[in-house]
Structure formats: C-alpha cells, structure tokens
Amino acid sequence: MNALKDRIALVLGRLTGQILHLRRKDGATALPGLVSGLISKNLLSSLSKNMTDGVVTISGTNGKTTTTNFLNFILNNAGFMFVTNTAGSNLERGLISAYANSVNFLGGYPKNKQRLGLFEVDEAELARTFDQLRPRVATFLNLFRDQLDRYGEVDSLVSRWQEMVKGRSEPGCIVINVDDPNVCKLQKYMSGDVITFGIEDENLKITELYNVKDARFCEMGNQLQYDVLYMSHLGKWRCNCCTTARPDPMVSAQNIILKNDSCIFDLVVKEFRYKISIDMPGLYVIYDAIAAAATAYALGVKTDLIAESLNQVKAPHGRQEIFVADQKEIRILLTKNPTGFNETIKIIIPDSKSVGINLLAILNDGIQDGEDVSWIYDADLEMLKKYNVDLVCSGTRASDFALRWHLAGLDPRLVCSDIEVSLYKALDNISPGGRLEVIATYTAMLQVRSILTSSSGEVENEIL
Amino acid sequence: MRSYDSPIRVVSMYPDIMNTYSDRGNLLAIQYRALQLGIKIVLEEVSLGDPFPAQCDLVLIGGGQDQEQKRIATDLKIKTSQLQAWAEDDVSILAVCGGFQLFGNWYRDIQGNYLEGVKIFDMTTIAPRIKNFRAVGDIWVTSRIEDVGEVVGFENHAGQSYLGAKASSFASVRYGKGNNGIDKTEGAIYRNAIGTYLHGSVLPKNPRLLDYLLANALSHRYNEDLKPYFSSHSPFVLQAQNAAMDVTRKKSEKNDV
Ligand SMILES: [Zn+2]
C-alpha cells in the first residue's frame, strides 16, 4: 500500500517537473519534490532504500556542487547508474525531486539495474535527513562561517554533525577532510570505515593579511597550532596540550601549482600518484577534486579511472562558468562567505600588476544569499588594493559593498542596484578580447546567468 | 584643522575569538576615519592571557558564539577591575553583541550556564530555553545620544537583555527587535561606554556613531572636551547608511503585511 502511494507521489512529482520544464518556470528543481512529499511522508526514506548501490551524500559549507559535479564525471566513467541533484537543489524537497525526475512514467525503475543516489546536501539539512538517506558514504568537506542568520553559528553545526554520525543506524563509511579540525573530529564518533583526504604541500601558505578561523581550539580548550595554514582554519594543525593532531590523509593533493585559469597537482592515493590538471582555478577546486576522489575511492572505483576522470572535468553552472558576449568573456564566480571570497580574489589577481582587472561585484541579501551582509568585512578585499581595478558594485546591497571596497582603498566607478544595467555598464569599459570578472552571491549569480543566457538565446531552466 | 600629535590608544579585545559577526569592520572604520582626520592610532590587541596596556582611550569588543563567550569569561574576570576603572574614567567603549552581553551583570546562555559579566552596564541577559527567542534581521534604531542619531545594522542574538535601574538604553528601536523584542530598547550606555547588538559592521556605515566614539577617545586623551565634528563624510559612507535604512524599512514593512 505504502509502495503504491510512493509511486503515485513520484509519478505526480515527475509530471509536475515535466510541466514546469515545458513552461520554463523557475523552481523546476524543487517543486516536484514538494508535490511528491505532500502525498507521501517518509518518501525520502523509502526512495533511498530503492538505491541498490546505496546513497552518497556530499556536505559542507563550500564546494558541495563542484564536488558532486566532479563525482558525476567519475561515476559516469565507472559505469554507475545514478540519481543526482546536479542543479544544486540540496534541501529535502530537492532530493525527492531528483528521485521524482529519475523514475519512469509508472514511478519505477528498470529492473535488474544497480542504482546509486548521489546528492549534495545542505549542511544544516543533512542532520535532518541523515536517518532517511542512510548514506553508504557520507562525505564532509568543511565548515566555515556562512550565512549566520540562516545556519546559526559554526559550533552548533559541528555538534549536530557529531550527534548525527554518532546516532546513525547503519555503519556505512564517512569521508572526511582532515585539514578542517572540526570535520576531522567526526572520526571519533564513527565505528564504521573512515576515508581521509587533505592537502600535503608545505610550500602552500595562506597569503591573506587578515584571516578568520572557525576552528581554533582542541577539546581541552587549548589553541591549535598550525605547521602550515592553507585557508581559513584548514591546514596541518596540532595541539600541544593533548597531542591530537591532523592525521596523514589517505587521499591527498601534492606539488600544487595554482594558475589563473587552472590548477595542477599530484593526486596521491596510497602508493599511486597521478598528475591532474583541471581547467578551473583556485585552491578550493583542489579540495573538491580530492574530496571527489576520496569518495569514489570509498565506493571502490579504481584509482586510474578516478585520475582519468578528474582530468576531464568541467565547471558546473555558475561556478567559474565563462560566457562570451560581444567578444568579451564574462566569468561568474559564486561567493557567499569570507573564505570563499578570499579564494576568489586570489583567482582574479593577475600575474602582473600592470594588467588591469574589470570587476563587477554583486551583493544580494535574499534568504539564499544570507540576509546579513556583514561578512564582507571578514573577507580580505585589501588583497586587491595594489591592482588596477575597474570596479562596478551592484545588487540589493550595492551600497554596503561599495563602502567596503572604499575602505579597502578601491572606489567603484559605478554603484547601481540594478544588475542588468550594471552588467552592461561594466562591459562598456572592456575592449573585445577582454574579460569581466563577476563576483556574485547566489541569487545574483542566477540573475547574471539568466541575463546572459536569455540574451544569447540559450534555454536554461535547470536552476532553482 | 587642529593637529593631534598624541595618538589615541585603541584596545581591541579578543579579536581572534570575539569576531563572529565581522567585528573587524569596526576597527577598519576607526582606522579609516582616524587617517582622514589626521588622528594617530596605536592599536593593542589584547587576547587570552595578555595584559592590558597602561593607557587606553578606546576599547572595542565584538561578538562570539556561546563557546567563545565561555572561553573568555574566566580571562575577563581578571580584566574586570581595569575595565571598570576605564569606564569610570570616561574611556570610550564600544561593546557589540556577545561583548555587550558580557559587559552587563551576567549572561545565562542557552545551556543554562551563567557567565559573570564586567558589570559596566546594569543589565542582565538570558537566552531563554523554552520559547526559543532569536532576534535575526536588519535593525534601525534612534540613539538617545543626540550627536549619534539614527543607527542601522543587523542583529542576530538568542539572548534577551533587560536593563536595570542604573542603566539607560543606547537607542529606541524603529525596526527590528533590539534588547529583548519587548520594550523597544536597544543597547545600553554608561558614561562613554556604549553596548549594542548592532553589527553590520556598525561603524563603517554609521558615521555619527563612529565620530562620537572617536571624539570621546580624543577627549580622554587630551583631557578636554573635544568635539571636533569633524570634516564631512565620503559619499560612499552616507550612501551606505541611507541604503541600509531603506532596505531595513522595506523588509520590515513587508514582514508586517
Ligand atoms: Zn589539546
């Protein structure tokens, strides 16, 4: 009876998705889940049980979408059949939608096929859905201060994750970033398998003049020491009082070279070492890549295949995506918290001070952006001070952003809350062949994408 | 413009711990404005176990999570008598959010732990465990200090603060929750000490509050009543304040419907 109800729920959800898709309405990724969820409770739980290869969750503050996208490449190449929420719809409804959109018109799956659920899950939502998803592999990326108005403070998320791992009903496996002391701590609460990943590169040092850490103390209350700090509180940490320290990771990135448009590193898994080159810049891309590698490794994918796949990956929607308009490149860089912002600034800094930067910086204060915009004061915008920047500020909090840049010694040429106007004004100053960097919060990123895709005639309605 | 040769001494308390709500923005604003006005600053960062410097004209303390407030509470006890003495001596003080709570009489956190405060403000704060109070959102207040006027920012606190008979509020709430969501008060004042829940960060976009704190710091340094009020402000500053007020009013009106 319940199974039938689930099926009806799924079929109706799927139908909703198709109607929305035809009518090109926004919200196409979450509404099917809402419809299905209304009809059948515990749907997520029974759907997850259908996944014969189990469920994989990817969670953390930064890098969920990119890591999940990288895993898409790897699992495809490895021949997995899987259901996934590629569009970044990572709350419960989004997960059910992903299921609803994957079934056939009878609400079922073809028989005799192995099936896996691959989901990015919002870091606060994970604790609420963990028991229903019962992940075979749960991957934990990092926890940074982010939208404190919505998520609360980092400490409370850390303790919710601990309770969740401790109280899980099946052993499963967790994949953890040992460079983040808060994430690393999770292994204490785990009786099943633990796969660890991290960066091993002593030459890589943080360049920010100002940096906030969201994990500072061991459980005895002593300050953590860092042999090397990569970003925020991520690095090779140890404590002098209680001899807790970051363990050597099983999967690591070494010999890292960061370039303007790409990153190169050695992927090291046990005795195997592979050269990886990814056409996306930024240290966090490397974290995402080794997180994906460690997760695939936990699923039993051969390391050769993991390396081969990582060398083929491309940027997901709105994550360092590049558009072309009037022979000018427009690169969209999503940022939503200080750590992400600092890494983004490092990406747009040119190799030489004589090269100018054209920057459109957009700050929105919607619920998905974070209504509290004060985090811009924790980001080290001052890193750009010595460069020649043509700056335009936009978004619902354009004036807050403009003031922040002003304090950093960079006065915007234009401050305008209208994103479309700002985009064209910013492009005005660029000659053909040049590039506009767009740093945008979540809803701003969606708006920019939609302006660019509708003007070039491309149909795009995948994103919430 | 008069020149101020003797620098004002700024003590930033626990900047590595009490920095949850972008409290660094307040320090950036002070440095920016001081540079503009030709006022020199000597900055001392004072954290766990650090001694206070001998002299101080301006104290800053920001917000922290419950864990962090607990972490500094013991250390703060050692520093209490000096802070009280400075407050009596009309040192300029800005305590924001968690720092504001700990500058009151005591704070009971959501777990029920009591943290003793510095008692500069006659105020107690309770994070209620049952009714799940949380004040989160844009806030616009009108200060009781005439020179300060309108102040806009963001609040995010689970604690409800109640002022005692000896304390007066810093401001009255126009939009938002303020101290407790009930009596329309926001923050507290004692002599030249100001406590408030507003971050955002509060000083960059509230230039009159910034100037008020700096004027008090200068007056303390030179031991005379200096209200240089000062040169004009950058359009970026004024625009940010106006725009933030606009957003606050609109959001609040939308929520009321
Ligand atoms: Zn320790």
Side-chain angles (χ1 to χ4, degrees):
Chain A
M1 184 59 206
N2 268 335
L4 182 64
K5 201 167 155 195
D6 289 350
R7 275 197 176 215
I8 293 168
L10 273 184
V11 169
L12 286 175
R14 178 177 181 265
L15 215 59
T16 313
Q18 284 176 339
I19 292 166
L20 285 168
H21 204 79
L22 288 174
R23 301 189 56 187
R24 297 179 56 190
K25 269 282 209 359
D26 283 347
T29 53
L31 201 58
L34 185 63
V35 169
S36 301
L38 281 176
I39 296 164
S40 173
K41 287 186 179 152
N42 299 322
L43 189 57
L44 192 59
S45 172
S46 49
L47 288 172
S48 298
K49 278 187 196 139
N50 277 340
M51 297 294 111
T52 46
D53 274 340
V55 166
V56 176
T57 59
I58 310 291
S59 198
T61 308
N62 286 351
K64 293 181 288 286
T65 300
T66 304
T67 304
T68 307
N69 186 55
F70 287 175
L71 262 171
N72 249 290
F73 279 89
I74 301 172
L75 297 186
N76 252 323
N77 288 349
F80 277 93
M81 301 271 293
F82 59 94
V83 177
T84 185
N85 55 344
T86 42
S89 206
N90 56 23
L91 303 178
E92 182 177 3
R93 278 176 214 166
L95 306 183
I96 295 175
S97 289
Y99 281 128
N101 289 330
S102 73
V103 293
N104 63 27
F105 67 97
L106 291 172
Y109 292 98
K111 288 225 160 56
N112 308 323
K113 286 255 172 76
Q114 293 293 297
R115 214 168 299 106
L116 179 128
L118 167 64
F119 301 121
E120 69 160 278
V121 186
D122 176 273
E123 54 273 33
E125 187 81 346
L126 186 65
R128 285 193 287 269
T129 54
F130 203 73
D131 279 343
Q132 289 165 281
L133 291 166
R134 287 181 304 274
R136 168 185 169 192
V137 178
T139 299
F140 299 92
L141 304 173
N142 48 57
L143 281 177
F144 301 113
R145 60 181 64 187
D146 180 37
Q147 302 177 34
L148 296 161
D149 53 308
R150 180 164 145 231
Y151 289 112
E153 292 157 347
V154 170
D155 285 349
S156 77
L157 271 178
V158 172
S159 55
R160 269 189 276 168
W161 275 13
Q162 286 171 357
E163 291 303 311
M164 169 185 92
V165 169
K166 213 190 317 184
R168 77 203 175 285
S169 45
E170 279 155 54
C173 168
I174 60 171
V175 175
I176 54 172
N177 180 356
V178 288
D179 292 351
D180 186 329
N182 282 332
V183 172
C184 190
K185 260 193 290 192
L186 289 174
Q187 67 181 324
K188 267 187 26 191
Y189 303 93
M190 186 67 190
S191 53
D193 296 330
V194 178
I195 304 288
T196 58
F197 67 94
I199 285 176
E200 289 281 5
D201 195 329
E202 303 281 335
N203 296 322
L204 213 67
K205 279 213 184 74
I206 198 158
T207 49
E208 287 93 314
L209 296 173
Y210 180 82
N211 171 53
V212 284
K213 297 199 189 100
D214 293 308
R216 285 183 287 257
F217 302 99
C218 81
E219 304 204 319
M220 317 291 291
N222 217 45
Q223 290 259 17
L224 297 175
Q225 306 293 310
Y226 282 83
D227 295 329
V228 50
L229 187 62
Y230 302 127
M231 67 167 81
S232 186
H233 55 267
L234 269 52
K236 293 182 91 163
W237 52 271
R238 63 190 156 73
C239 179
N240 291 337
C241 87
C242 58
T243 68
T244 53
R246 166 191 174 273
D248 289 335
M250 301 170 190
V251 176
S252 67
Q254 303 181 10
N255 300 320
I256 289 170
I257 302 169
L258 296 170
K259 297 186 172 182
N260 260 171
D261 289 300
S262 64
C263 53
I264 298 166
F265 62 96
D266 291 353
L267 172 68
V268 181
V269 189
K270 291 190 302 187
E271 71 272 31
F272 304 107
R273 179 180 290 267
Y274 306 89
K275 260 275 166 285
I276 307 289
S277 167
I278 296 179
D279 285 340
M280 292 167 68
L283 187 57
Y284 53 76
V285 169
I286 296 180
Y287 268 117
D288 298 342
I290 57 176
T295 309
Y297 179 68
L299 288 167
V301 180
K302 293 231 159 40
T303 52
D304 289 15
L305 193 71
I306 293 173
E308 194 188 315
S309 310
L310 283 179
N311 276 315
Q312 300 166 356
V313 297
K314 289 188 181 64
H317 288 328
R319 273 62 170 187
Q320 311 192 354
E321 222 181 345
I322 296 177
F323 292 84
V324 179
D326 298 334
Q327 301 170 318
K328 299 165 188 177
E329 279 187 353
I330 301 155
R331 177 161 66 174
I332 308 180
L333 302 152
L334 172 72
T335 53
K336 48 186 187 121
N337 49 45
T339 304
F341 204 99
N342 288 351
E343 295 306 311
T344 301
I345 289 179
K346 288 179 209 165
I347 289 172
I348 66 171
I349 285 179
D351 297 326
S352 147
K353 289 213 165 79
S354 61
V355 180
I357 304 167
N358 294 285
L359 177 61
L360 169 60
I362 319 177
L363 183 64
N364 274 0
D365 67 346
I367 287 167
Q368 290 161 302
D369 305 291
E371 295 192 73
D372 182 3
V373 296
S374 41
W375 62 270
I376 55 180
Y377 285 93
D378 275 338
D380 195 29
L381 278 64
E382 283 74 6
M383 278 191 281
L384 275 178
K385 189 158 60 178
K386 295 195 187 99
Y387 293 86
N388 173 19
V389 185
D390 180 64
L391 175 66
V392 172
C393 289
S394 187
T396 51
R397 301 308 285 249
S399 301
D400 274 276
F401 219 178
L403 173 57
R404 175 68 188 95
W405 287 103
H406 172 66
L407 290 189
L410 291 146
D411 286 357
R413 164 165 63 90
L414 174 74
V415 183
C416 169
S417 56
D418 187 302
I419 293 178
E420 191 159 9
V421 172
S422 306
L423 179 61
Y424 292 117
K425 294 272 187 195
L427 283 169
D428 274 352
N429 259 29
I430 300 172
S431 33
R435 175 189 277 176
L436 176 66
E437 308 280 9
V438 180
I439 298 184
T441 55
Y442 189 74
T443 63
M445 177 271 285
L446 295 186
Q447 281 169 19
V448 172
R449 283 197 91 248
S450 111
I451 292 164
L452 290 171
T453 50
S454 65
S455 62
S456 68
E458 191 187 320
V459 177
E460 181 51 64
N461 55 359
E462 285 295 303
I463 290 204
L464 175 75
Chain B
M1 194 159 68
R2 173 174 170 177
S3 75
Y4 301 100
D5 293 327
S6 178
I8 54 174
R9 271 75 171 177
V10 178
V11 169
S12 170
M13 293 187 70
Y14 312 108
D16 55 334
I17 300 169
M18 300 294 278
N19 65 12
T20 300
Y21 295 104
S22 305
D23 300 285
R24 174 218 191 194
N26 292 331
L27 185 59
L28 285 179
I30 285 168
Q31 289 168 325
Y32 159 86
R33 187 64 175 154
L35 190 72
Q36 212 170 54
L37 298 171
I39 300 168
K40 294 189 197 70
I41 279 183
V42 175
L43 172 67
E44 294 270 358
E45 300 195 333
V46 175
S47 193
L48 295 177
D50 298 338
F52 273 134
Q55 296 183 26
C56 171
D57 308 303
L58 175 57
V59 177
L60 295 173
I61 182 167
Q65 314 181 51
D66 277 356
Q67 283 297 328
E68 289 154 350
Q69 284 176 271
K70 250 197 289 187
R71 215 147 250 149
I72 66 161
T74 318
D75 190 74
L76 204 54
K77 265 184 206 152
I78 303 165
K79 296 183 162 78
T80 290
S81 61
Q82 179 65 78
L83 285 168
Q84 286 173 346
W86 280 342
E88 292 298 330
D89 191 39
D90 286 335
V91 165
S92 187
I93 296 175
L94 179 69
V96 176
C97 201
F100 167 45
Q101 293 172 338
L102 288 178
F103 273 35
N105 296 328
W106 47 263
Y107 169 54
R108 199 192 73 192
D109 72 14
I110 213 147
Q111 260 88 44
N113 302 303
Y114 279 86
L115 301 180
E116 207 181 329
V118 176
K119 301 182 181 64
I120 285 175
F121 305 117
D122 180 19
M123 172 191 83
T124 52
T125 303
I126 296 173
R129 274 184 284 182
I130 303 161
K131 56 184 170 168
N132 205 9
F133 171 86
R134 190 147 195 116
V136 187
D138 292 281
I139 174 167
W140 175 356
V141 301
T142 307
S143 177
R144 292 180 53 256
I145 305 165
E146 208 180 315
D147 289 336
V148 172
E150 307 302 303
V151 185
V152 67
F154 199 93
E155 61 180 330
N156 187 350
H157 53 107
Q160 289 179 299
S161 295
Y162 298 92
L163 301 179
K166 281 180 279 172
S168 42
S169 67
F170 163 61
S172 61
V173 177
R174 284 179 75 151
Y175 300 103
K177 293 252 167 56
N179 283 344
N180 46 49
I182 298 163
D183 63 16
K184 290 275 173 191
T185 64
E186 205 297 312
I189 313 174
Y190 178 72
R191 304 184 78 97
N192 286 339
I194 295 175
T196 178
Y197 275 112
L198 272 65
H199 60 273
S201 305
V202 69
L203 292 186
K205 62 184 168 200
N206 292 288
R208 293 173 66 191
L209 175 60
L210 172 60
D211 280 359
Y212 179 79
L213 288 166
L214 270 176
N216 286 338
L218 265 185
S219 303
H220 184 262
R221 166 84 351 227
Y222 288 90
N223 203 19
E224 56 181 296
D225 193 17
L226 288 172
K227 282 194 183 172
Y229 295 141
F230 276 144
S231 62
S232 60
H233 290 274
S234 150
F236 290 113
V237 172
L238 301 172
Q239 181 50 33
Q241 188 182 37
N242 285 335
M245 286 172 176
D246 238 31
V247 167
T248 307
R249 183 172 40 78
K250 281 187 190 138
K251 279 196 177 177
S252 166
E253 281 165 1
K254 209 172 95 192
N255 290 342
D256 286 346
V257 172

